[in-house]
Amino acid sequence: MDPDAYNGADRGAYRWSQTHQDLDVQVVVPKSVVSSGALEVLIRTDSLLVRHGERDLVSGKLKHAVRDKESFWTLLPGQHVHVQLEKARPRWWTSLLEGEPPADVPAREVPLEELRSEEAMVVEKLRWQDLQKQQQRAAHGDQEHGRVPA
């Protein structure tokens, strides 16, 4: 498996990977691009643009929002632009840009320790409510069959 497309995809002109919190995008540049001044890179909460001269290397609306102020980019001269995007909300993305085919991203559960405390509390509350419902169903099922729960 290509580590540069881990939980993401290789789209030829660029490849992207992700964790639950952020995205890494590598945009291929011509070998002649050795200075960041030769590029225009715009990271917005809802879109990404990487341009060399008049040519858009990547341009489109992002699948979900990112924190543009916490995102950044660097150039590896003659190879690629590395764009680090921080997700506005932790989640698994099925694609980087709207309209592109979904990547083969397996459904994943996120360990509680990776969630912010507010999110972990919500998950725990939902788990507790589900447990209560299961216990009520079991109690009602036992009573309907003439058994009383211990």
Side-chain angles (χ1 to χ4, degrees), residues 1 7 12 15 26 47 53 57 67 70 108 114 129 140:
M1 173 175 258
N7 287 329
R15 55 190 166 270
Q26 291 184 2
S47 64
L57 304 175
R67 297 175 194 251
E70 286 81 25
R108 298 177 181 269
E114 287 187 24
Q129 289 173 342
H140 291 315

Side-chain angles (χ1 to χ4, degrees), residues 4 15 25-39 41 50 57 72-83:
D4 295 328
R15 55 190 166 270
V25 184
Q26 291 184 2
V27 182
V28 178
V29 299
K31 294 204 179 298
S32 62
V33 177
V34 294
S35 167
S36 60
L39 298 168
V41 180
V50 179
L57 304 175
F72 60 92
W73 65 276
T74 56
L75 171 66
L76 188 59
Q79 294 184 32
H80 66 264
V81 173
H82 177 207
V83 183

Side-chain angles (χ1 to χ4, degrees), residues 120-148:
M121 287 172 33
V122 169
V123 169
E124 285 298 327
K125 180 180 177 184
L126 292 171
R127 285 182 180 171
W128 182 82
Q129 289 173 342
D130 187 51
L131 179 62
Q132 294 296 312
K133 287 179 188 176
Q134 288 176 12
Q135 288 174 347
Q136 287 175 352
R137 283 188 203 123
H140 291 315
D142 286 344
Q143 289 172 354
E144 289 173 10
H145 293 90
R147 288 174 273 167
V148 178

